Amino acid sequence: MKLKDSLYTIVQADGGNPMPRFDIRLNPGHTIYQAHFPEQPVTPGVCLIQIACELLEQLVGKRLQIQKIKQVKFMAVVSPREVSTVSYLFNKVTEADASGAVKVQVTISDSERDYTTLSMTCIPQAIQSSL
Amino acid sequence: MTTLHQIDVHELLPQQEPFVMVSRLTENDDTHTTSELDILPSNLFVDDDCFTAPGLIEHIAQTCAARLGYQNKYVLQRPVQLGFIGSVRHFEVSRLPRVGQTIQTRIEVMGEILGMTLISGTTHCEGDVVATTELKIAIQD
């Protein structure tokens, strides 16, 4: 399931070099928030990771999937009751080689704090389905 | 003593459907826990018939959550606590499981300190390793 236009919407996209940035608005009414967790909605860390992959797809213009995560740190929880909009800043985007692999470093933040830092490699989806 | 296969995993997890990514616990001892997940078409992390990487990470994290839930409920006799992923390191996926398959995960507890549990996890599907990672899980008091 794609989370775009369901768990979040893009309110501003700046594909500029060298550091593309997306501002997204979270949808506090989403089913995920009733399940994670009842009475204490928190954006699941894995959804924050998936959103990074979806935004990267938009940036490079192809379907991607996560192959490797070097490291993700979740420094503060993103609760939709307290945080409505966060920014995904792509500090580094490297299209590695002919395989089409893309390496990224992303920071998720708002004006108050950094919530998450993420360093991962995504590959085109076609490679996976041919295995 | 309640045996593992008699336990509804929902009793052990703070997450509710549709965000439950473990179908059952299969083994649990001092340092290891194993679990299974049946990948249903309705699973939130299914995309194009494949169970995606974020789903695999959540499944491994919830294997740890179910372990902690079991300790709370059946050993310490206290309520299940909320837990969050604090960090993910060295996650690697070799192929994505498909709808209709069942995946098996084994986690090993590497350390427990100050409400944080550090685990390493390996997920198998039909005999092959499909994902490995290290996670830090933070428990809320």
Side-chain angles (χ1 to χ4, degrees):
Chain A
M1 179 186 97
K2 290 288 171 208
L3 298 176
K4 190 185 167 198
D5 298 327
S6 144
L7 185 66
Y8 72 98
T9 49
I10 297 173
V11 290
Q12 196 173 342
D14 173 8
N17 259 325
M19 292 206 280
R21 178 184 142 155
F22 294 85
D23 296 340
I24 65 159
R25 181 172 294 126
L26 298 164
N27 169 15
H30 198 280
T31 321
I32 284 177
Y33 288 126
Q34 286 153 34
H36 188 283
F37 301 94
E39 285 154 45
Q40 190 176 333
V42 169
T43 311
V46 297
C47 292
L48 294 173
I49 298 172
Q50 182 172 331
I51 292 169
C53 184
E54 292 183 14
L55 296 174
L56 185 62
E57 284 184 328
Q58 178 158 335
L59 203 58
V60 301
K62 54 189 169 197
R63 298 290 307 275
L64 296 172
Q65 63 187 46
I66 297 163
Q67 183 198 33
K68 271 186 201 179
I69 295 175
K70 191 174 164 197
Q71 180 157 275
V72 188
K73 285 187 188 170
F74 299 103
M75 285 94 76
V77 296
V78 179
S79 159
R81 286 181 182 164
E82 287 150 29
V83 180
S84 62
T85 306
V86 291
S87 295
Y88 275 68
L89 181 67
F90 288 76
N91 305 299
K92 210 170 170 185
V93 180
T94 318
E95 295 202 48
D97 48 44
S99 72
V102 188
K103 279 189 189 182
V104 287
Q105 285 175 23
V106 187
T107 304
I108 306 169
S109 64
D110 63 11
S111 55
E112 298 287 313
R113 60 173 69 84
D114 288 353
Y115 294 98
T116 301
T117 55
L118 161 63
S119 170
M120 68 175 178
T121 305
C122 296
I123 54 171
Q125 237 169 34
I127 291 179
Q128 176 71 40
S129 34
S130 69
L131 288 179
Chain B
M1 188 77 184
T2 312
T3 59
L4 277 186
H5 72 269
Q6 292 174 304
I7 296 173
D8 178 353
V9 76
H10 295 85
E11 290 176 25
L12 306 179
L13 292 171
Q15 295 86 356
Q16 290 195 353
E17 296 293 353
F19 210 80
V20 171
M21 295 295 146
V22 171
S23 299
R24 64 197 71 83
L25 284 188
T26 46
E27 293 168 31
N28 192 49
D29 67 24
D30 289 349
T31 54
H32 298 88
T33 301
T34 61
S35 76
E36 292 183 338
L37 172 66
D38 305 324
I39 300 168
L40 305 178
S42 59
N43 190 298
L44 283 178
F45 293 102
V46 165
D47 193 24
D48 274 348
D49 213 39
C50 288
F51 187 60
T52 60
L56 285 164
I57 297 169
E58 185 63 24
H59 162 66
I60 295 169
Q62 287 191 17
T63 302
C64 181
R67 171 190 174 84
L68 299 170
Y70 180 86
Q71 276 173 350
N72 273 330
K73 190 166 171 161
Y74 289 97
V75 182
L76 305 170
Q77 316 264 318
R78 61 183 192 192
V80 170
Q81 295 164 288
L82 293 195
F84 305 94
I85 301 175
S87 71
V88 180
R89 272 163 60 88
H90 306 310
F91 172 76
E92 199 160 348
V93 55
S94 46
R95 81 175 160 87
L96 296 179
R98 292 189 171 272
V99 167
Q101 294 181 321
T102 295
I103 55 177
Q104 291 86 29
T105 285
R106 175 184 175 89
I107 62 161
E108 181 180 355
V109 177
M110 323 267 288
E112 284 176 295
I113 185 168
L114 300 172
M116 297 285 260
T117 302
L118 177 65
I119 60 132
S120 70
T122 304
T123 300
H124 283 81
C125 181
E126 301 190 335
D128 300 326
V129 173
V130 292
T132 53
T133 192
E134 286 174 20
L135 301 178
K136 226 181 250 176
I137 306 291
I139 299 300
Q140 184 181 69
D141 285 325

